[in-house]
Amino acid sequence: MERHNLLIMSDLVGSSEVRRLRKFANVYRSSELDEKTLADRLRQTDALLISLWPEFLTDEMLRSMKRLRFIQGILVGVDHIPFQTLGRKVVVCSNAGAYSLEVGEHAFGLLLSAAKRVVDTHNSVARGKTDFKEFRGTADDILVLRGKTLGVIGYGGIGAVVAGLGRSFGMKVIALSRSRRSASGSGRGVKIVRGRGALTSLLAGSDAVVLALPLTNLTEGMIGAKELSVAKGGAVLVNISRGDIVNQAALYEHLRRNPSFRYATDVWWYKEGRETLVTDYPFTSLPNFVGTPHISGPTAVASGRPVRMAVENTLRYLRGLRPKNVVKRSEYYRSIVL
Amino acid sequence: MERHNLLIMSDLVGSSEVRRLRKFANVYRSSELDEKTLADRLRQTDALLISLWPEFLTDEMLRSMKRLRFIQGILVGVDHIPFQTLGRKVVVCSNAGAYSLEVGEHAFGLLLSAAKRVVDTHNSVARGKTDFKEFRGTADDILVLRGKTLGVIGYGGIGAVVAGLGRSFGMKVIALSRSRRSASGSGRGVKIVRGRGALTSLLAGSDAVVLALPLTNLTEGMIGAKELSVAKGGAVLVNISRGDIVNQAALYEHLRRNPSFRYATDVWWYKEGRETLVTDYPFTSLPNFVGTPHISGPTAVASGRPVRMAVENTLRYLRGLRPKNVVKRSEYYRSIVL
């Protein structure tokens, strides 16, 4: 068997990881190659290890990579990869599970921040509202989690962490899943729902909802005006997956009209193929919007786990074993403009 | 036995509760009495049911209440009661346990808000910091709870809820308690510590610390410059008991000099005997300060539980049974200026 050519296009992979990979492949780093050498290497590359899809790797360059067969992502989501330009034989692997702990905790941080109205009351005090009497109505909009219902949309690694924390807070947990495997959740007090109508009934019955599913052609814009209209008036919606799961215009209108409904997010909408903190509507002027600048993922990266797991999976491919977390390419049609 | 005279000085007690109390006492409500009648009633009153100590009830009026023997609070803390003016025979009962669930959840909301830097990063985005690159260093200051140590100072009802949630997040939990009874905590994976030096070692070893103890003459100013200096540099200190447990000047200085250390509070310092959102130092201008305007308690009141429990305990007294939650009067010397 010919030796693999692996190109690493991420600064996150350290030298000890590179040494492990060198046992099974010729390893190159794009950051160490000049433009001409890179163009040559790309044509020889059969495996890619990436973080966010690099801006310099244009569709034209990608089309020149005739030998490419495998892409391993270090991020959990793969929606940034230009699937429509990839050769049919390329297998794409996500890094599912690598971020579950940190992102799940962050989801609960956002959920409690919004449920307990931490951000908006803090800012009111900071802006000089210093009479306790002015906060008298606040308690009505504070969500006590115990005994309430948590809806988890997407029951993968992150969804399972979120569901477990919800149970710890004494919540009833309903999880929307399309996988048969996740039926195991029931054993831990999580009710798994599936199929048509499940989304609507989950939204209608939940006091807090966490979006924990990948952005694909099946999930883009999944939460629109209709879905928001069935949600409880005082519910908290948390997004730690991708901004574009939620329709931006519909959400803004819903938040403006329903001051007791809250949206707390770590992820933002795409513009020209890139996530941006610049929104089409003035969300941060609304007291019922909480947004952190996509900081849950980097926290996980700092643990070293995502790189370690991505390298392990790449090693599986290089050694001729079946890699984990192969994504269904047909679900990722998104055209990313670089 | 002569029938008791109970005076209710709180708007929170509903008519059904009054009916229950009437079976065992003559019940009066201060809000329904004119000034002269009230002065007469006070002299006959042997039991008081109060929320926050009423401003109109001056020391002089209190001294006229020669028959007073029992005060039941609806709030969990009793530090607002003018103990120095109370007759020696007056038994004072707190409402310990009535707020544990809601206040414990709020404590975790504050803890996660600060740990995940929700408030300061949200505000940075709102103020126009909209380039993800500017947040690159943020992940270093995000505290992942799993595997870290939570110190709980005060292991009563609220402390136990906080400790339990800490265990759910996979934290090691150490609780500082002075009660022998709370040794039961050990069974739930909580390490109970006591005595001299325990405070210092708890602070030095904890990544997050929650203050959950009453304000007494033993606890006022308990967290000062020396205690803060032994805490971990990136620790989160949460206060849901009373502002004055922490020395205001020392805290401000510590937060200013240690931007990675965070303080998140629902309770504020006393000024002229009343809690106020107006502080001596510009805390809300610091990114490592999070403050909600004492909203955890009212959430619990909304559940009806605090009034119900306070009424139950008052009934115990009226029926000649031993009331629960009798406080040690010697610990409450605080002179409240009304």
Side-chain angles (χ1 to χ4, degrees):
Chain A
M1 197 172 96
E2 213 180 330
R3 208 167 152 80
H4 288 289
N5 291 315
L6 170 70
L7 182 63
I8 300 177
M9 302 203 284
S10 165
D11 296 338
L12 300 171
V13 185
S15 51
S16 69
E17 307 286 8
V18 170
R19 274 195 299 277
R20 295 183 63 202
L21 291 161
R22 283 230 159 96
K23 290 182 190 158
F24 302 93
N26 306 315
V27 179
Y28 308 95
R29 305 185 77 128
S30 58
S31 58
E32 292 168 356
L33 304 175
D34 61 39
E35 212 163 336
K36 201 189 156 303
T37 324
L38 175 65
D40 285 346
R41 289 280 176 253
L42 287 175
R43 276 189 290 273
Q44 304 302 319
T45 294
D46 64 300
L48 269 184
L49 179 55
I50 60 164
S51 300
L52 194 63
W53 189 263
E55 294 203 40
F56 67 78
L57 194 56
T58 60
D59 278 9
E60 197 192 331
M61 289 164 87
L62 183 54
R63 281 192 206 98
S64 76
M65 300 177 73
K66 301 288 183 205
R67 295 182 54 181
L68 185 64
R69 293 292 178 275
F70 177 79
I71 299 177
Q72 173 65 53
I74 293 173
L75 306 184
V76 61
V78 295
D79 50 86
H80 49 95
I81 295 174
F83 282 90
Q84 73 287 354
T85 314
L86 287 186
R88 282 195 305 159
K89 293 181 187 164
V90 182
V91 166
V92 177
C93 292
S94 79
N95 206 1
Y99 297 74
S100 304
L101 171 61
E102 290 83 358
V103 176
E105 277 194 12
H106 197 86
F108 244 84
L110 288 170
L111 171 50
L112 279 168
S113 294
K116 305 304 180 184
R117 294 191 55 182
V118 175
V119 178
D120 77 302
T121 60
H122 168 95
N123 284 339
S124 291
V125 175
R127 281 194 285 263
K129 197 167 157 182
T130 52
D131 185 346
F132 285 114
K133 290 193 191 86
E134 296 183 85
F135 292 99
R136 268 185 188 159
T138 310
D140 303 337
D141 268 348
I142 288 183
L143 181 67
V144 176
L145 302 190
R146 183 165 295 270
K148 302 300 195 312
T149 300
L150 171 67
V152 181
I153 302 185
Y155 195 63
I158 296 168
V161 168
V162 169
L165 291 173
R167 294 288 300 149
S168 302
F169 276 83
M171 303 184 83
K172 296 173 204 115
V173 181
I174 307 173
L176 180 64
S177 170
R178 56 174 189 159
S179 151
R180 294 259 156 223
R181 282 178 302 174
S182 46
S184 59
S186 334
R188 284 171 290 184
V190 178
K191 184 181 167 191
I192 308 288
V193 293
R194 277 195 202 79
R196 271 177 182 250
L199 176 62
T200 308
S201 64
L202 180 145
L203 288 168
S206 296
D207 303 284
V209 175
V210 176
L211 300 172
L213 72 177
L215 178 63
T216 70
N217 55 5
L218 303 173
T219 64
E220 187 175 359
M222 176 177 175
I223 306 294
K226 190 176 134 253
E227 289 71 26
L228 291 167
S229 74
V230 300
K232 287 194 182 184
V236 175
L237 176 61
V238 174
N239 193 352
I240 40 83
S241 55
R242 288 293 180 265
D244 290 56
I245 306 276
V246 180
N247 181 289
Q248 189 172 173
L251 177 67
Y252 183 75
E253 199 49 30
H254 191 75
L255 288 172
R256 217 177 47 77
R257 292 196 185 179
N258 301 277
S260 294
F261 183 91
R262 284 151 276 183
Y263 181 72
T265 192
D266 189 43
V267 292
W268 302 70
W269 292 275
Y270 284 116
K271 206 169 253 178
E272 296 172 2
R274 291 264 157 186
E275 185 182 19
T276 172
L277 291 163
V278 181
T279 52
D280 293 343
Y281 301 87
F283 283 100
T284 55
S285 69
L286 299 173
N288 50 344
F289 173 90
V290 175
T292 52
H294 212 145
I295 50 182
S296 61
T299 314
V301 171
S303 77
R305 196 186 323 103
V307 169
R308 203 162 53 240
M309 285 178 62
V311 167
E312 291 293 346
N313 211 34
T314 304
L315 284 169
R316 253 177 230 116
Y317 169 76
L318 297 175
R319 294 162 63 205
L321 301 171
R322 188 181 176 168
K324 296 180 180 177
N325 299 323
V326 175
V327 304
K328 236 187 205 171
R329 284 191 47 180
S330 63
E331 292 173 2
Y332 293 89
Y333 70 89
R334 284 177 61 80
S335 169
I336 305 288
V337 183
L338 296 172
Chain B
M1 197 170 96
E2 212 179 333
R3 207 169 154 80
H4 288 289
N5 291 316
L6 170 69
L7 183 62
I8 300 176
M9 302 203 283
S10 166
D11 296 337
L12 300 171
V13 185
S15 51
S16 69
E17 307 285 9
V18 170
R19 275 195 299 276
R20 295 183 62 199
L21 291 161
R22 285 231 158 95
K23 290 183 190 158
F24 301 93
N26 305 314
V27 180
Y28 309 96
R29 305 184 77 128
S30 57
S31 58
E32 291 169 355
L33 304 175
D34 62 38
E35 212 164 335
K36 201 190 156 303
T37 323
L38 175 65
D40 284 347
R41 289 282 177 251
L42 286 174
R43 278 189 290 272
Q44 305 302 320
T45 294
D46 63 299
L48 269 183
L49 179 53
I50 59 163
S51 299
L52 194 62
W53 189 263
E55 295 204 39
F56 67 79
L57 194 56
T58 61
D59 278 10
E60 197 193 333
M61 289 164 86
L62 183 54
R63 281 191 206 96
S64 76
M65 300 176 73
K66 304 287 185 205
R67 296 182 55 182
L68 185 64
R69 293 293 178 273
F70 177 79
I71 300 177
Q72 172 65 51
I74 294 174
L75 306 185
V76 61
V78 294
D79 49 87
H80 50 96
I81 296 174
F83 282 90
Q84 74 286 356
T85 313
L86 287 185
R88 282 196 306 159
K89 292 180 187 166
V90 183
V91 166
V92 177
C93 293
S94 79
N95 205 2
Y99 297 74
S100 304
L101 171 60
E102 289 84 357
V103 177
E105 277 194 13
H106 198 86
F108 244 83
L110 288 170
L111 170 50
L112 279 169
S113 294
K116 305 303 180 184
R117 294 190 55 183
V118 175
V119 178
D120 77 301
T121 60
H122 168 96
N123 284 340
S124 290
V125 175
R127 281 193 286 262
K129 197 167 158 180
T130 51
D131 185 346
F132 284 114
K133 291 193 190 87
E134 296 183 84
F135 292 100
R136 268 187 189 157
T138 310
D140 303 336
D141 268 348
I142 288 182
L143 181 66
V144 176
L145 302 190
R146 182 164 297 269
K148 303 298 194 316
T149 299
L150 172 66
V152 181
I153 301 183
Y155 196 63
I158 296 168
V161 168
V162 169
L165 290 173
R167 294 288 300 150
S168 301
F169 275 84
M171 302 184 83
K172 296 172 202 114
V173 181
I174 307 172
L176 180 66
S177 170
R178 55 173 191 160
S179 152
R180 294 259 156 222
R181 281 177 302 172
S182 45
S184 59
S186 335
R188 283 171 292 182
V190 177
K191 183 180 168 192
I192 307 287
V193 293
R194 277 195 202 79
R196 271 177 183 251
L199 176 62
T200 307
S201 63
L202 180 146
L203 287 169
S206 296
D207 303 283
V209 174
V210 177
L211 299 171
L213 72 178
L215 178 64
T216 70
N217 55 5
L218 303 173
T219 64
E220 187 174 0
M222 176 179 175
I223 306 293
K226 189 177 133 252
E227 289 71 26
L228 291 167
S229 74
V230 300
K232 287 195 182 185
V236 176
L237 176 62
V238 174
N239 194 351
I240 41 81
S241 54
R242 287 293 180 263
D244 289 57
I245 306 275
V246 180
N247 181 289
Q248 188 172 173
L251 176 67
Y252 183 75
E253 199 48 29
H254 192 75
L255 288 173
R256 218 178 47 78
R257 291 196 185 180
N258 301 277
S260 294
F261 183 91
R262 284 151 276 185
Y263 181 72
T265 192
D266 189 43
V267 292
W268 302 70
W269 291 275
Y270 283 116
K271 207 169 251 180
E272 294 172 4
R274 292 265 158 185
E275 185 182 18
T276 172
L277 291 164
V278 181
T279 53
D280 293 343
Y281 301 87
F283 283 100
T284 54
S285 69
L286 299 173
N288 49 344
F289 173 90
V290 175
T292 53
H294 212 145
I295 49 182
S296 61
T299 314
V301 171
S303 77
R305 194 186 325 104
V307 169
R308 203 162 55 238
M309 285 178 62
V311 167
E312 291 292 346
N313 211 33
T314 304
L315 284 169
R316 252 176 230 117
Y317 169 77
L318 297 175
R319 293 160 64 205
L321 302 171
R322 188 181 178 170
K324 297 180 180 177
N325 299 324
V326 175
V327 304
K328 238 187 204 170
R329 284 192 45 181
S330 62
E331 292 173 3
Y332 293 88
Y333 69 89
R334 284 176 62 80
S335 169
I336 304 287
V337 182
L338 295 172

